[in-house]
Amino acid sequence: MAAKQTFNVERFFQALGDNTRLRILNLIGDQEICVCYFVQILGGPQPKISRHLAYLRSAGIVAVRREGKWMHYRIVMPPHIGAAQILRQTLGWLKEEKTMQADRARLTKACCSPAKYALLEGAPLPTTIQETTCEAC
Amino acid sequence: MAAKQTFNVERFFQALGDNTRLRILNLIGDQEICVCYFVQILGGPQPKISRHLAYLRSAGIVAVRREGKWMHYRIVMPPHIGAAQILRQTLGWLKEEKTMQADRARLTKACCSPAKYALLEGAPLPTTIQETTCEAC
DNA sequence: GACATATAGTCGCCTAAGCGAATGTTTGGA
DNA sequence: TCCAAACATTCGCTTAGGCGACTATATGTC
């Protein structure tokens, strides 16, 4: 059985205490997104992204689903109502930060023309963006 | 002039990522409290408390006021509206945690009969408790 | 001025955590 | 069955941070 450790409040806040992880959470939002987009948008080496995703998983903030070669990440609400509220509020706050808005804009652009990004050829689109027509492109 | 460094989001969340600091914030609440109460209620060595208070100060979450020998700490709301909301929500969440409630109960008890606590003889009462009659004692 | 009290800061040790570089693993396709 | 793609994990290094023990500072009192 899975090692489902109990929710840890310290770990929860520590997970939010890193800018790369906040950027990842902001990019996910209420969608389900493939790792290759994080690598493309955030720009760092892939193992770095992967380690931060592992951290977020261990903190119980994100969950992952495999689809062929691709791993799709989504945000999961913590079992504690208080923590869930904090997380929602944090995500809302991030949406208003300029650098976070820029990240999301680049994600939208990448999704509209994935062929322009070497890393994204053939990559599955984020789930909710998939059903949205993009007016910007 | 004071070294008023700009508010740091990572630092803000990191400051919340430690149980001793969360307990301190919970004890303060919307009052102004003297360090000796933290030492008495939380029970650890005094330098440990002092270091965590310094961390909270550097993160811009608490402020301090000297009154004779005593240092009074209070919570200050961060300049970012988002961070302020997170902090308020966190404080509200802590109030519902049992261990945090126990801390506050012990604080109330200590304030009603400080003579019973060697560390608290002559210590100034927290400001808002001072104006409140305690029904429990 | 000497001393006690209340609190802050320093030091040495240890663990957590971030990073780049290298390596492993899983999957799909030729 | 071999290979490439997409991620994950490990390793070695460095820094941040927590802790106990100790020391320093500021204030009030005698």
Side-chain angles (χ1 to χ4, degrees):
Chain A
M1 85 184 199
K4 185 79 173 184
Q5 57 214 358
T6 56
F7 182 75
N8 183 333
V9 178
E10 292 186 87
R11 186 81 172 166
F12 171 73
F13 280 117
Q14 285 166 1
L16 299 179
D18 177 278
N19 200 251
T20 300
R21 289 195 289 268
L22 289 177
R23 292 178 75 189
I24 288 174
L25 292 175
N26 173 66
L27 279 180
I28 301 181
D30 50 7
Q31 309 177 357
E32 196 185 40
I33 296 198
C34 164
V35 173
C36 55
Y37 289 98
F38 302 135
V39 176
Q40 178 67 53
I41 304 296
L42 301 183
Q46 172 264 323
K48 173 180 170 182
I49 304 292
S50 210
R51 269 184 270 116
H52 281 295
L53 288 169
Y55 199 115
L56 288 170
R57 263 186 286 131
S58 80
I61 296 183
V62 303
V64 67
R65 178 178 63 87
R66 177 182 283 277
E67 184 185 316
K69 296 188 295 186
W70 293 282
M71 301 293 271
H72 296 258
Y73 280 83
R74 64 184 184 279
I75 292 176
V76 293
M77 283 300 150
H80 279 48
I81 292 180
Q85 286 177 333
I86 301 280
L87 183 52
R88 258 186 289 269
Q89 197 124 22
T90 301
L91 291 171
W93 172 23
L94 293 179
K95 279 186 186 174
E96 296 167 9
E97 294 283 312
K98 286 189 179 175
T99 61
M100 296 293 178
Q101 289 174 346
D103 279 350
R104 293 172 71 90
R106 286 197 290 158
L107 175 61
T108 303
K109 196 170 177 182
C111 291
C112 288
S113 50
K116 291 181 182 173
Y117 302 81
L119 290 172
L120 300 181
E121 288 198 57
L125 287 171
T127 35
T128 57
I129 287 185
Q130 205 166 13
E131 304 162 11
T132 306
T133 56
C134 175
E135 301 169 353
C137 312
Chain B
M1 88 185 197
K4 185 78 173 185
Q5 57 215 358
T6 57
F7 182 76
N8 182 333
V9 179
E10 292 186 86
R11 186 79 172 169
F12 170 73
F13 280 116
Q14 285 166 1
L16 299 179
D18 178 277
N19 199 251
T20 300
R21 290 195 288 268
L22 289 176
R23 290 178 76 189
I24 288 174
L25 292 175
N26 173 66
L27 280 181
I28 301 181
D30 50 7
Q31 307 176 358
E32 195 185 41
I33 296 198
C34 164
V35 174
C36 54
Y37 289 98
F38 302 136
V39 175
Q40 179 68 54
I41 304 297
L42 301 184
Q46 171 265 323
K48 172 179 169 180
I49 304 292
S50 210
R51 271 183 270 114
H52 281 296
L53 288 169
Y55 198 114
L56 288 170
R57 262 186 287 130
S58 79
I61 296 183
V62 303
V64 68
R65 178 178 63 87
R66 176 181 285 279
E67 182 184 319
K69 295 188 295 186
W70 295 281
M71 301 293 271
H72 295 258
Y73 279 83
R74 65 183 183 279
I75 292 176
V76 293
M77 283 300 150
H80 279 47
I81 293 180
Q85 287 178 333
I86 301 279
L87 182 53
R88 260 186 289 268
Q89 198 124 23
T90 301
L91 292 170
W93 171 24
L94 294 178
K95 279 186 185 172
E96 296 168 11
E97 294 282 312
K98 287 189 178 175
T99 61
M100 296 292 176
Q101 289 175 346
D103 279 351
R104 293 171 71 91
R106 286 197 291 158
L107 175 62
T108 303
K109 197 171 178 182
C111 290
C112 288
S113 51
K116 291 181 181 171
Y117 302 81
L119 289 173
L120 300 182
E121 288 197 58
L125 288 171
T127 35
T128 57
I129 287 184
Q130 204 167 13
E131 306 162 10
T132 307
T133 56
C134 174
E135 302 169 352
C137 311

